Amino acid sequence: MSEPLLPPIGMLAELTHRCPLQCPYCSNPLELLKANRELDTQTWLDLFSQAADLGILQVHLSGGEPTLRRDLEQLIAGLSARGVYTNLITAGVGIAEGRIEAFAEAGLDHLQLSFQGARPTTTDRIGNHKGGHEKKLETARRARKAGLPLTINAPIHRHNIEEVPEFIDLALSLGAERLEIANVQYAGWALTNRDQLMPERAAVDRQAEIVAAARERLTGIMNIDFVTPDYFAIYPKPCMGGWARDAFMVAPDGTVLPCHAAQTIPSLSFERFGPRSLAEIWTDSPAFNAFRGTDWMQQPCRSCERREIDWGGCRCQAMAIAGDAAATDPACAKSPIHARMAMLIDEAQRAAAVPSSDEQFVYRRIGVVTEPA
């Protein structure tokens, strides 16, 4: 460790892997957990209590689709009672009438709603769920009526990148305080579908210009967060603010992880909540300490002036592309294999040139991996 270990402030709680949508860009692992492997209500409440004791200030309730948990109101209330800020991340389809209001009454602080497209046809095709777009619009209206602050999340890839101006208009029309233009990061199902999802460089450049102009135009009206695509980057982003530096996530079965894709690193073994406390895992877990701080870094990261800015970038991306979780993130221009990113972009473009290849998604499903047609 090269810096003092501080308490975590943020936590992503993936309450379930179940979801009515089958988005091919999903960051969940390919081996999705079924309902019988999810933590029960009391165990989640115990976990949240320990998280509050540890110093957690905000919990993002996610999945899968977290509203499929019948105890969601109880979980929100438990966090609210401890003064923890709660953000519900939802696909916004299939939410029974009255539940959004019940979430607000239980103490929910914020709702984040994903749209797979700014157009109904795009939303329904990417999510593989007919009528999903209209259901999302209704969820947004109900959230605003219940007095909940609203963020619209737009996961961007080849099939909706030209809709970015429409996403901006959509978020404004729904009264959102915040819009997240989040270029897809390639982990889980998104990595499996990388060739089908990778946008063209020219489209990425156009998108950046559109977002920059909209940010300036909408200052004081709506915040726009822009999550840039790693494969087109010069420098990497700090993964989760830095590996196990100030945040962590918990999978539906209670496995505690530094980030979404951490289990793709075969040399690491991750612990579950229950046998050990959250405080013990945060402080003493060998997997959490593996890439903390800067002491683990190889060159050129070890002597880089950005080492405490990006904290080495994404360890899972290094594993997936370089074959070594301790390697310099290939997204970094200083990586000896940075050119491989351009090669992967080119390979995706060649795959896209195959007739009908853009329809060959491997859709996300529990227990079934659907091969491309």
Side-chain angles (χ1 to χ4, degrees):
M1 286 292 296
S2 55
E3 64 170 357
L5 179 60
L6 300 175
I9 60 174
M11 170 183 163
L12 176 66
E14 292 197 330
L15 302 178
T16 180
H17 279 165
R18 293 172 288 146
C19 187
L21 304 188
Q22 299 173 356
C23 305
Y25 62 77
C26 183
S27 61
N28 283 156
L30 297 182
E31 186 181 349
L32 296 166
L33 300 176
K34 296 182 179 181
N36 63 358
R37 296 182 63 185
E38 296 171 11
L39 298 183
D40 61 26
T41 306
Q42 189 56 53
T43 305
W44 272 118
L45 289 172
D46 291 344
L47 189 155
F48 289 150
S49 180
Q50 288 192 24
D53 291 341
L54 191 57
I56 290 293
L57 301 177
Q58 53 184 308
V59 170
H60 303 274
L61 301 165
S62 182
E65 176 48 56
T67 63
L68 292 177
R69 293 278 307 211
R70 296 181 180 178
D71 57 359
L72 183 54
E73 292 89 338
Q74 189 175 349
L75 300 181
I76 292 169
L79 286 163
S80 179
R82 292 300 307 271
V84 177
Y85 182 94
T86 50
N87 173 39
L88 175 62
I89 303 172
T90 177
V93 302
I95 303 177
E97 187 173 350
R99 277 203 91 192
I100 291 176
E101 295 76 10
F103 299 153
E105 291 175 7
L108 183 66
D109 293 295
H110 184 273
L111 188 141
Q112 180 173 318
L113 175 62
S114 65
F115 275 82
Q116 286 64 48
R119 305 166 189 167
T121 52
T122 307
T123 297
D124 295 355
R125 180 167 66 89
I126 299 301
N128 203 26
H129 186 92
K130 188 174 292 186
H133 195 86
E134 289 302 320
K135 294 174 184 177
K136 291 171 183 288
L137 294 176
E138 179 58 25
T139 293
R141 288 189 284 265
R142 287 162 57 189
R144 298 302 288 129
K145 188 174 181 180
L148 290 171
L150 177 66
T151 289
I152 299 300
N153 174 255
I156 301 298
H157 46 79
R158 179 194 304 161
H159 302 278
N160 65 7
I161 195 167
E162 301 299 342
E163 298 178 24
V164 167
E166 296 166 67
F167 275 118
I168 296 168
D169 291 341
L170 175 65
L172 285 169
S173 72
L174 293 174
E177 285 87 357
R178 178 172 164 265
L179 168 65
E180 185 176 65
I181 301 292
N183 284 267
V184 166
Q185 308 299 312
Y186 295 99
W189 293 82
L191 182 59
T192 294
N193 288 290
R194 182 172 58 193
D195 285 353
Q196 285 71 38
L197 296 170
M198 186 78 72
E200 296 181 356
R201 187 175 298 275
V204 171
D205 291 342
R206 285 195 301 273
Q207 171 196 220
E209 293 174 359
I210 291 167
V211 171
R215 277 175 156 175
E216 184 175 354
R217 184 177 75 252
L218 297 173
T219 299
I221 299 172
M222 182 175 70
N223 292 323
I224 302 179
D225 289 342
F226 185 43
V227 181
T228 55
D230 283 349
Y231 280 56
F232 298 85
I234 298 175
Y235 297 117
K237 297 186 291 294
C239 177
M240 295 278 288
W243 180 278
R245 186 166 176 267
D246 60 17
F248 61 89
M249 66 158 288
V250 181
D253 65 350
T255 302
V256 186
L257 302 164
C259 71
H260 263 105
Q263 289 175 301
T264 63
I265 301 176
S267 62
L268 299 182
S269 178
F270 297 97
E271 299 174 82
R272 291 179 61 188
F273 173 75
R276 297 191 81 196
S277 69
L278 273 186
E280 289 171 328
I281 295 171
W282 176 255
T283 304
D284 300 326
S285 167
F288 271 56
N289 286 321
F291 301 113
R292 264 189 173 131
T294 59
D295 289 347
W296 61 271
M297 292 181 179
Q298 304 174 359
Q299 293 292 10
C301 295
R302 180 178 288 274
S303 58
C304 180
E305 68 279 3
R306 294 182 55 85
R307 65 184 178 277
E308 294 186 7
I309 297 174
D310 56 41
W311 301 99
C314 180
R315 299 301 86 222
C316 305
Q317 189 157 261
M319 186 72 236
I321 298 175
D324 177 6
T328 301
D329 187 337
C332 183
K334 297 184 180 184
S335 165
I337 63 167
H338 180 65
R340 194 172 298 179
M341 306 299 272
M343 292 171 58
L344 290 169
I345 294 170
D346 290 342
E347 288 173 8
Q349 302 313 314
R350 287 195 294 273
V354 177
S356 300
S357 66
D358 62 348
E359 301 294 334
Q360 298 179 10
F361 295 132
V362 180
Y363 281 109
R364 173 199 186 281
R365 292 178 184 172
I366 289 182
V368 178
V369 175
T370 303
E371 296 298 332

